Amino acid sequence: MRISYLVGLSLLSAGSSWAQSSDAPPVTSLSTIEVKASEYIDLPPAYEGNHVATGGNLGLLGNRDVMNTPFSTINYTSDYIEDLQGQELRILISKNDPSVQTPGAGGTGGKDTMYIRGFRAGDVSLNGLQGLTSGRRVMAIAERLEILKGPSAVLNGMNASNDVGGSINLVSKRATDDPITNVTMSYIQPSQFGTHLDLGRRFGEANELGLRLNGVFKDGEGVVDHRTNRDKLISLGADYRLGSVKLSADLYHLEEYISGLNRGVRLAKGLDKNPLPTPPKGNVLLGVPWAAGLTRETTALMRADWAASDKLAVYGSAGYSKSEMSNYNTKGSTLLNEAGDLKLAATRRNNTGYNLAANSGLFYNFDTGSVHHTISAGVDWNRKSSRSDNTSIKGWSETINIYDPDYPARPYVPMNGLSAPNVSYLYSAALADTLSFADGKYQLTLGLRQQWVSTKDKSGKSDNYSKNALTPTIAGVWQLRDDWMLYANYAEGLTQGMIVGDDYANEGQIFAPQKTRQYEIGMKYDSGDYALTAALFDITQPNSYETPERINGKPNLSYDGRQRNRGVEVQVFGQIATNWRLTGGIAYLDPKIRKASNPDTEGRNAVGLSRWVAKAGIEWDTPFVQGLTLNANLNSQSKQYADASNSYYMPGVTTYDLGMRYKTRFAGKEVTLRASLENVGNKAYWVVPLSNGQGSPRTFLASATMKF
């Protein structure tokens, strides 16, 4: 029987000494839940196939087994990341999860765009600290990717990116007691090659000091015409065991260069109807070869965990990151006619950001009569400072044809210089009590978080403001049997208050913090080899929309009514039969605009979201060749409306992927060969939002990993 992780007993996140140290103090077990401290290297164990873990981190509530979690979660392992050949974050998270929708082929630079349960989710925490990583190209350092679906202000606080669709936490790698020396060579058609070194060692009489080094270099032309990618990453993770105290630190530097950026298209009036112009193949660049972007990111953080007694654990962490981004792109290009003529516009953009983050907290467990309590308390603090220079050329335009492009030369766009800094502060305090009744059969979690947010814009483009809000949560678990449970929750999300960007006439306007509310009920079944989950949810959020009136050619951005997403999700992951594994499911989403003053949008579907999504990733360990695993993926989604009045839509699309993995030995060393062909039929399709434009083309990937 596998271990169950109960917050307050096994405690804390993957970085916790109680969750990882073999020196942890003894803990008190409830009769229906097996709880024990695991060894230093242990995270919650994985289901068969080692792609999905049996538990993960819940922010304020610490580490929990999936069967003791009153929320919808999924926790991917480093094996999953490696078997998908280290692709970017949006692909890893959306590959087999029907509740995650992500548009297009990427190549836009900056942050990935993802939607969980119909709301944006792309802000990534690093070992529980927010605002320190983009998450985009740092998968090489990830031991786990932990996803909590739906708003979670009490558990994780407000994030700096105003995302409420879900929470994503990256747990960094640590050295194991066994030495690690892995070298991976990778290839993406037609000519992108890469190398990844993963090196881990422990030192000292009791292996108390651990170091884990990861280095990545990729360069070459990608599958989209005229697009090249060059990625550099170097990271070091360190940890030190000192009895009941564990110290850890992480440092990484990332550089990502992309030429041939795709900033998507807009549709000229008259084209915004069905049928849309035929989409070009996914390898056609809907931009220009000279549209390029350079991103640099440097991050450092430290954490300390102390198991003070069998009842009390304390933690604290702090981190710093600096990010720089500069690009030259064609954002705002317009598709003029059905013949495929695309009118280009040119923009230069520079941004520099500095983030500081810290948190601390404690877990304390005690009994009152027959009721067991686990108190979770924490404070979080985040400071974000950003400076920008966004410049567009007035009057410059060139036209290409998306079916037979002849790209123009690059115009000169002078920069104005970085603005004065815009500084925002997010700080909060939270308290929760998890009560366990009837020897753990019933669990009830009550939580509150007081959040403060303030903004100071020294550039004068935005107003300064300071606001605060109180967000509650209540969640319950009913253990029907050892392998069946029911759960329910009410949770809120909190957004900072939108700062209107330069695409709108009311640029610089700041809105007050907005609340998102979720009601969810669900069930989970855990056979030990695989898990089945199902959930019903109802989420509402104030709706942002573009006014039809134009000022100097730009609309205003405002709030009107609410977006209400109701849906159901069913998902399975693990080994469903001997030698057969499945990760996938089906989701239905009803994303409606309610209480809108504009009759053209009232009752309409929200933009860019499919009602039906089905995804499945299946693996088969072949009996005829030892070590050979064949796999296939299905991704099917229904149509997506492309405007607020639902006057036109992007048709639904289904794509297929095929792949294999072969484990063997060469020169006495373990070798794993991987290959996959994605979008086998080379399906061409438009996606929403059109900031990406088109779907990903047929792509061949291959890699070889040798363990020394």
Side-chain angles (χ1 to χ4, degrees):
M1 179 179 178
R2 65 178 175 78
I3 297 170
S4 291
Y5 288 73
L6 180 64
V7 60
L9 301 178
S10 179
L11 284 185
L12 300 179
S13 68
S16 162
S17 58
W18 277 23
Q20 294 185 347
S21 172
S22 60
D23 299 325
V27 295
T28 304
S29 296
L30 303 177
S31 61
T32 60
I33 304 174
E34 183 186 354
V35 182
K36 70 176 184 178
S38 59
E39 294 183 0
Y40 168 76
I41 62 173
D42 287 348
L43 291 167
Y47 291 99
E48 290 294 326
N50 295 318
H51 278 184
V52 179
T54 59
N57 185 261
L58 290 181
L60 176 68
L61 301 183
N63 219 34
R64 281 206 179 187
D65 183 273
V66 67
M67 294 298 283
N68 290 316
T69 298
F71 301 93
S72 181
T73 61
I74 189 165
N75 307 282
Y76 297 108
T77 67
S78 57
D79 281 1
Y80 172 81
I81 297 170
E82 291 168 4
D83 287 343
L84 264 66
Q85 303 187 68
Q87 298 190 66
E88 59 196 74
L89 177 69
R90 67 180 186 91
I91 296 176
L92 295 172
I93 291 178
S94 65
K95 188 75 169 181
N96 298 312
D97 192 334
S99 63
V100 182
Q101 299 186 40
T102 181
T108 62
K111 181 180 156 183
D112 287 325
T113 302
M114 294 167 284
Y115 295 86
I116 300 178
R117 294 183 170 178
F119 293 106
R120 195 178 67 181
D123 200 75
V124 181
S125 298
L126 180 58
N127 296 328
L129 276 179
Q130 297 191 44
L132 298 183
T133 179
S134 66
R136 181 175 173 85
R137 296 288 185 182
V138 297
M139 294 303 100
I141 75 172
E143 184 64 32
R144 293 284 167 87
L145 276 177
E146 301 172 330
I147 293 89
L148 168 66
K149 301 174 187 178
S152 58
V154 168
L155 303 185
N156 296 291
M158 180 193 301
N159 65 61
S161 298
N162 290 332
D163 295 343
V164 297
S167 299
I168 303 168
N169 183 49
L170 186 155
V171 180
S172 57
K173 293 176 178 176
R174 294 284 177 253
T176 64
D177 285 336
D178 295 324
I180 297 171
T181 306
N182 298 337
V183 177
T184 300
M185 308 298 292
S186 62
Y187 166 78
I188 302 177
Q189 74 174 99
S191 60
Q192 187 176 128
F193 296 90
T195 303
H196 174 200
L197 171 66
D198 185 358
L199 184 65
R201 294 291 187 274
R202 299 208 69 84
F203 304 92
E205 293 183 2
N207 281 345
E208 58 268 21
L209 174 63
L211 298 175
R212 188 77 176 262
L213 175 71
N214 278 268
V216 176
F217 179 78
K218 296 181 180 180
D219 195 12
E221 185 178 349
V223 67
V224 175
D225 294 340
H226 306 287
R227 177 171 298 159
T228 60
N229 286 77
R230 183 172 64 246
D231 299 331
K232 302 176 185 178
L233 171 70
I234 184 72
S235 74
L236 179 64
D239 65 273
Y240 188 77
R241 311 169 184 169
L242 188 64
S244 61
V245 175
K246 196 196 81 176
L247 307 175
S248 61
D250 290 276
L251 173 67
Y252 78 79
H253 177 74
L254 163 73
E255 290 189 14
E256 178 189 24
Y257 174 79
I258 304 176
S259 65
L261 283 176
N262 169 21
R263 297 300 292 179
V265 300
R266 297 174 177 174
L267 298 180
K269 191 168 181 60
L271 287 183
D272 51 355
K273 60 183 179 181
N274 287 97
L276 294 169
T278 303
K281 291 295 184 181
N283 64 297
V284 175
L285 174 62
L286 297 185
V288 288
W290 46 260
L294 175 64
T295 300
R296 293 188 179 96
E297 191 171 278
T298 303
T299 295
L301 68 154
M302 299 181 294
R303 182 181 174 102
D305 295 292
W306 176 36
S309 70
D310 62 345
K311 293 184 177 295
L312 175 66
V314 181
Y315 66 91
S317 59
Y320 163 84
S321 73
K322 178 184 178 182
S323 60
E324 298 173 282
M325 184 272 289
S326 61
N327 64 37
Y328 214 132
N329 61 60
T330 54
K331 182 180 180 181
S333 301
T334 304
L335 188 60
L336 300 175
N337 50 49
E338 293 184 0
D341 292 326
L342 182 67
K343 183 180 179 181
L344 303 176
T347 301
R348 286 189 72 178
R349 185 176 298 240
N350 288 339
N351 293 93
T352 301
Y354 302 88
N355 286 346
L356 291 169
N359 65 14
S360 63
L362 61 83
F363 299 87
Y364 183 70
N365 66 88
F366 62 93
D367 296 319
T368 56
S370 62
V371 180
H372 183 81
H373 298 259
T374 298
I375 299 295
S376 310
V379 293
D380 294 83
W381 179 85
N382 184 282
R383 179 187 184 273
K384 179 180 180 180
S385 175
S386 60
R387 304 176 66 192
S388 63
D389 181 359
N390 303 323
T391 306
S392 60
I393 295 182
K394 305 295 184 182
W396 180 90
S397 68
E398 295 284 348
T399 300
I400 64 171
N401 187 275
I402 63 175
Y403 306 118
D404 185 22
D406 181 14
Y407 300 107
R410 186 179 77 171
Y412 174 67
V413 182
M415 299 302 293
N416 297 322
L418 291 173
S419 66
N422 181 298
V423 182
S424 64
Y425 295 88
L426 302 175
Y427 44 102
S428 64
L431 179 67
D433 186 6
T434 298
L435 302 90
S436 182
F437 307 88
D439 292 331
K441 183 176 182 180
Y442 307 101
Q443 298 174 42
L444 177 66
T445 297
L446 305 172
L448 285 172
R449 183 180 293 269
Q450 179 67 49
Q451 182 85 52
W452 293 268
V453 54
S454 64
T455 298
K456 298 179 181 179
D457 187 358
K458 297 182 180 180
S459 70
K461 291 183 178 181
S462 302
D463 298 327
N464 298 333
Y465 82 100
S466 179
K467 302 288 184 181
N468 66 86
L470 182 68
T471 52
T473 195
I474 179 170
V477 169
W478 178 15
Q479 301 283 356
L480 299 174
R481 303 186 328 198
D482 287 345
D483 55 352
W484 282 96
M485 62 89 82
L486 298 176
Y487 72 91
N489 67 67
Y490 169 78
E492 293 187 358
L494 192 63
T495 56
Q496 179 176 341
M498 182 169 50
I499 301 176
V500 180
D502 60 353
D503 291 333
Y504 301 96
N506 56 330
E507 175 187 357
Q509 182 179 352
I510 302 178
F511 294 95
Q514 303 290 325
K515 284 188 176 184
T516 302
R517 295 176 171 86
Q518 171 181 274
Y519 299 88
E520 179 183 8
I521 59 173
M523 58 76 59
K524 301 177 185 179
Y525 170 74
D526 188 345
S527 74
D529 293 329
Y530 70 91
L532 174 69
T533 67
L536 295 167
F537 59 87
D538 184 313
I539 310 175
T540 58
Q541 181 187 51
N543 179 56
S544 62
Y545 83 110
E546 296 181 1
T547 60
E549 298 81 14
R550 295 292 192 269
I551 301 174
N552 295 326
K554 295 182 178 181
N556 275 315
L557 189 65
S558 183
Y559 284 107
D560 182 44
R562 303 187 70 81
Q563 181 176 333
R564 181 174 186 175
N565 292 1
R566 288 178 167 177
V568 58
E569 303 161 349
V570 178
Q571 193 166 10
V572 63
F573 38 84
Q575 182 163 293
I576 57 174
T578 304
N579 297 330
W580 289 89
R581 292 175 296 279
L582 175 65
T583 303
I586 188 168
Y588 172 76
L589 183 68
D590 183 25
K592 286 288 190 355
I593 305 302
R594 299 295 186 189
K595 299 182 179 179
S597 59
N598 185 349
D600 290 336
T601 60
E602 170 61 27
R604 305 294 187 184
N605 275 43
V607 172
L609 299 172
S610 295
R611 280 178 170 265
W612 287 99
V613 177
K615 298 180 182 180
I618 192 163
E619 291 194 341
W620 176 40
D621 297 330
T622 62
F624 45 82
V625 178
Q626 185 176 1
L628 176 63
T629 300
L630 302 180
N631 57 69
N633 282 82
L634 162 75
N635 187 330
S636 181
Q637 58 190 51
S638 63
K639 68 182 181 182
Q640 302 174 338
Y641 287 102
D643 68 327
S645 61
N646 294 178
S647 61
Y648 69 106
Y649 61 86
M650 306 304 179
V653 64
T654 300
T655 59
Y656 304 92
D657 308 329
L658 295 174
M660 57 76 66
R661 181 172 67 252
Y662 180 51
K663 292 187 176 182
T664 186
R665 300 191 72 83
F666 178 77
K669 306 298 182 182
E670 182 180 330
V671 175
T672 302
L673 305 176
R674 301 177 177 90
S676 63
L677 187 64
E678 303 189 340
N679 190 2
V680 172
N682 202 22
K683 179 75 173 180
Y685 56 97
W686 295 113
V687 298
V688 183
L690 286 173
S691 59
N692 289 80
Q694 77 239 81
S696 301
R698 180 166 51 215
T699 306
F700 176 72
L701 305 92
S703 65
T705 300
M706 178 173 282
K707 296 185 176 182
F708 292 90

